[in-house]
Amino acid sequence: MGNLLVMRTPHAHLGLRQGPRPEQPEDRPPHGALDRYFKISERGSTVAREVRGGFATFFAMAYIIVLNPIILGSAKDMYGHQLDNGQLVTATALTAAFTTLLMGVIGNVPIALAAGLGVNSVVALQLAPRMSWPDAMGMVVLAGFVVMLLVATGLRERVMNAVPYSLRKAIAIGIGLFIMLIGLVDSGFVSRIPDAAQTTVPLQLGGDGHLGGWPVLVFVLGVLLTLALLVRKVPGAILVSIVVMTAVAMVIHALADVPSWGLTTPSGRATRWPRPTSRWSARSACSAASRRSAC
């Protein structure tokens, strides 16, 4: 649902590549059928590097598995029907897996695809209230066919070239800032200041104007660890920091009394995914923190 989120792996900004390659691609013979098919050595990479890049890319994109169902599951169509959260999670995950496999196996390029932010908000807030969910999803299918025609005829490239480069960069930066705000809210680092009009602004630190609590501490340490590993050009920096801070959060959760970790609870048991309610809205990622106790 929505525009595609595209990530290429591995990349330097993921902390997966450092320094010049020890050998030129032509000096590195392929090792095994997997290497020959995907031309890993020919492209100057290694199987281990691609595996690290794949894990880091997965963790960097996995937020959409939670966020896409929240946005679409919060809306009602004109008949008052809502989409099932479990089905939304399953569809989001399967779509990402299928399209990424197509890019790798058929396209033979290290690019991961998943549902992106953008059109899902339009569907949830503009299309669904004016029609049924099947009609809204039908509009999405038609939009997909239109995009395919634009690509096949070359019109899409012309349209993209007509958009100023600065505007394209601004769109990407805006989506990145939106995702960052969601992370800040879900970590408890910022929250909405309640007001009579129930607006989404302004924001405040923590739940009461102060930073405190284990979730906030884990969040801050995770950000600092990621930055430190990236600066030192540690291979798989983002992946390492995610794994380390997840382990730290699980230990804290087992030893300390943590009222809430936000959307999910780090536990050795199966994670319980809360069903989104009508109070979740794509208009504001900040409203969640105001309903959660201070960290």
Side-chain angles (χ1 to χ4, degrees):
M1 175 63 61
N3 50 298
L4 287 178
L5 172 65
V6 182
M7 294 191 70
R8 185 178 178 90
T9 174
H11 256 330
H13 71 272
L14 291 177
L16 303 175
R17 179 172 296 180
Q18 58 176 345
R21 295 194 301 268
E23 300 177 5
Q24 296 298 325
E26 58 269 20
D27 298 330
R28 304 173 63 174
H31 302 284
L34 185 68
D35 194 348
R36 286 193 298 270
Y37 181 81
F38 291 105
K39 303 178 182 179
I40 297 176
S41 297
E42 179 181 336
R43 292 169 174 170
S45 185
T46 63
V47 174
R49 179 181 294 164
E50 296 300 320
V51 170
R52 291 198 305 268
F55 275 109
T57 303
F58 169 78
F59 284 113
M61 298 173 62
Y63 74 92
I64 198 64
I65 300 177
V66 176
L67 187 57
N68 197 46
I70 286 176
I71 294 176
L72 294 177
S74 65
K76 295 181 179 180
D77 64 8
M78 63 181 301
Y79 301 106
H81 299 153
Q82 285 183 281
L83 297 177
D84 180 74
N85 183 62
Q87 293 178 356
L88 288 171
V89 172
T90 302
T92 303
L94 288 180
T95 301
F98 179 70
T99 53
T100 300
L101 284 174
L102 289 181
M103 293 297 294
V105 177
I106 299 180
N108 203 351
V109 289
I111 295 179
L113 300 179
L117 297 176
V119 180
N120 47 12
S121 299
V122 175
V123 172
L125 301 178
Q126 297 182 5
L127 290 183
R130 293 171 172 81
M131 60 184 69
S132 66
W133 276 115
D135 292 338
M137 293 304 171
M139 295 290 291
V140 174
V141 174
L142 292 177
F145 279 116
V146 171
V147 172
M148 290 177 59
L149 290 176
L150 292 176
V151 172
T153 58
L155 290 177
R156 179 188 177 276
E157 184 176 0
R158 295 182 182 180
V159 171
M160 292 299 295
N161 292 334
V163 177
Y165 178 75
S166 58
L167 180 58
R168 282 180 280 168
K169 295 291 289 185
I171 294 174
I173 293 172
I175 295 176
L177 291 174
F178 176 58
I179 296 173
M180 182 188 71
L181 179 60
I182 293 173
L184 292 173
V185 170
D186 289 334
S187 67
F189 195 85
V190 299
S191 63
R192 180 180 64 86
I193 300 176
D195 59 359
Q198 293 297 311
T199 59
T200 59
V201 291
L203 297 177
Q204 64 181 357
L205 288 177
D208 56 357
H210 300 84
L211 295 178
W214 288 111
V216 175
L217 178 61
V218 172
F219 167 76
V220 173
L221 292 179
V223 172
L224 294 177
L225 177 61
T226 302
L227 293 176
L229 294 178
L230 288 174
V231 170
R232 296 182 63 86
K233 298 182 179 179
V234 176
I238 293 180
L239 177 61
V240 171
S241 62
I242 290 175
V243 173
V244 170
M245 296 317 301
T246 300
V248 171
M250 293 178 66
V251 172
I252 293 176
H253 183 72
L255 300 179
D257 182 16
V258 183
S260 173
W261 288 88
L263 292 176
T264 57
T265 299
S267 172
R269 300 179 297 275
T271 301
R272 297 189 301 270
W273 294 80
R275 179 180 178 84
T277 65
S278 59
R279 297 184 65 184
W280 275 100
S281 172
R283 294 188 179 94
S284 170
C286 304
S287 59
S290 64
R291 302 191 302 273
R292 188 172 63 225
S293 59
C295 297

